[in-house]
Amino acid sequence: MTGTKLIKAGRFVEDAFVTLGDDDPQPANGTIVSLARFEKERDALVSRNAPLGVRLKSDESPERLGDDVNRLSVIVLEFPKFRDGRAFSWARMLRTRLGFKGEIRATGHFLYDQLAFMARVGIDAFEVPEGFAIAEFDRAMGEITNVYQPSADGRPTIRQLRADG
Amino acid sequence: MYRYDEFDARFVAERVEQFRYQVERRLSGELTEDEFKPLRLLNGLYLQLHAYMLRIAVPYGTLSPKQLRMLAHIARKYDKGYGHFTTRQNIQFNWIKLVDVPDTLADLATVEMHAIQTSGNCIRNVTADHFAGAARDEIEDPRILAEIVRQWSSLHPEFTYLPRKFKIAVSGSEHDRAAVKFHDVGIEIIRNDKGETGYRVYAGGGMGRTPYIGHVVGDFVEKRDILAFLEAVMRVYNQSGRRDNIYKARIKILVNALGAEEMRRQVMREFDEIKAAGTLAVPSAELDNIARYFAPPAFEALGDNAPEYDAARASSAAFRAWSDTNLTPHRAPGYAIATISLKPIGGVPGDATHEQLDALADLLDEFGMGELRVSHEQNLVLPHVRKKDLPAIFAKLEALGLATPNAGLVTDIIACPGLDYCDLANARSIPIAQRISERFQDLARQHDIGELKIKISGCINACGHHHAGHIGVLGVDKKGVEYYQLQLGGSGAEDASIGEILGPAFGEHEIVDAVERVVDVYLEQRSGSERFLDTVRRLGIEPFKERAYAGWAFHI
């Protein structure tokens, strides 16, 4: 996608994947396809010897990937607008119910103010606008030191910290 | 009451700084109003008709003297000298400037208060029975669970961008004073056959333009599992709640579209998984820790008879009238629960001045009472009063204009801010409440009428809970003119029901007469000690309708 860059593990990285349109030919390297294309060309896609990603719209549950979920290297979650919070549950579900260990990438319209929540539910890669500074990312991660509830990040909760005294 | 430890204090302080940065970015133009709006709402800040309004959380309605004094300070320093208590046990300040909000929040944090999640499409601040810890029919103090839910829901990473707002209420008594069946999720503390306490969970209740009474989705959720259960409900809602139409986005629409059985099935699927993971289990030690904060004060060993109280009742008609309506039996002998009415005749329901807030703090200190409560009926409550102190307390309240003897009566009206403040409103609510209150001000008549809950909303969003009013009044707009629809037979208590619309709306100058005619029918037709609500249920709305519209053709 033009006009964005990718943050992963807290720093800018080169995107190793190409996001394909539904009719684009498959290049040899890593590609990301829509769920519709994945469902249509599933056998051909998983038999290729290259990393594969699927991009889910906000109304597409990752459960639709079935057992294929752990054949994927990256799952991209779309935020069509920042108020649409479904992807928070999709990420959480990927990390806990489905045990997905690969990259979960956020794309679309989301705010600085949502980055810490996204990281907590298991999103570990972020497509941010060109002008975005890594210092802002660090700041977002550090705004609130401790958390009250468990999530996919495995951080100790305030209750656990209290018990550890 | 709950006291912050270092973790809570740091959390709230950091949340203030986080919001300060959001305000800075809005003021610099980095954030558009469209982007800033959900962020400010998550911290209780609305843009109203005339100014910003800041809604401050009063967790489960409990306030200490120190907190009351801080609210008085905020009213003086940042507002026009008064605040407004709401139907969700919060307080709103209507004249706040955006640039002052971070400092206001920093002031609040010094007394362990905040505005976190008092608005926005998130899990809102949790409400609970305002008689918690004092009521005779209580199984368990609902604030213990409310505090556990508050912590779990605070900045919940998965559930802060829900389809719509999400309100949770907890009741710990047989008599429901928290309107649990009208909440997105309502929790009732119950006891099973083995004598164990647990939770009955309702989901999908609500008011607004499509009122529903909640369905039971959990018959008996064990205490350690309650957060897992709530997380399951939230996850089903966050995945499947509608996002295409703001008026169909609440969980009540989802529950009624799926049906209660399918909703239960989906919730149980999530619940089993979350429970098995174990990370959300509430250990009994945690419940015990939180319960300690809500331990009742050490009650003195008093007899139930207090000569001072009896003497005041004998000698003062005013005290007698007040004690007849504004006192509720307390679980400890020699104590009472006193309701402080914020509904003076002709006044604005729920408003309190900074002088009153300060004076109430002094009153608490003087009589050794540690806390005050806010009720969802927009009144205040002294939960633990020695009966012998009541005459002196009454005298002080009288001097403050806070001794109106009308708790539960026809002039104890709930009203939303309406078109006087709110940019969603279609009609004014406050002046209608004031006119009805003036019409029925005669005390003997009020007592004769007995329990009658009038609730007024200025628009279909139903912040004034008109669907749950014995008499509900809904403001509507017809070509720029305010009209008022009447509903009868609603209840927000354990016998929850939704009021039935009487017929065409009344004009601003007709509505008070119509209410009076409806009350007249009750007075004529009631049987024995029947309440207004009971008479409506027995007779149906027809006789009321007939009288309310008597001479109606004349008007049109």
Side-chain angles (χ1 to χ4, degrees), chain A residues 67-88:
Chain A
D67 293 339
D68 289 330
V69 70
N70 286 313
R71 294 171 184 267
L72 302 174
S73 304
V74 54
I75 292 174
V76 180
L77 300 176
E78 277 185 25
F79 287 76
K81 56 177 188 249
F82 76 98
R83 287 188 216 88
D84 185 341
R86 279 174 283 198
F88 290 100

Side-chain angles (χ1 to χ4, degrees), chain B residues 23-68:
Chain B
V23 171
E24 275 169 26
R25 283 151 59 220
R26 175 65 194 121
L27 291 171
S28 76
E30 188 186 323
L31 280 173
T32 65
E33 177 53 27
D34 185 49
E35 290 170 333
F36 180 57
K37 185 177 171 184
L39 301 178
R40 64 169 161 75
L41 288 178
L42 284 169
N43 218 30
L45 188 64
Y46 283 71
L47 187 53
Q48 299 281 64
L49 283 176
H50 313 289
Y52 281 99
M53 176 272 277
L54 182 64
R55 183 183 292 154
I56 294 162
V58 180
Y60 24 88
T62 302
L63 284 168
S64 69
K66 200 164 71 168
Q67 292 174 327
L68 277 166

Side-chain angles (χ1 to χ4, degrees), chain B residues 117 146 535:
Chain B
Q117 289 166 225
T535 305

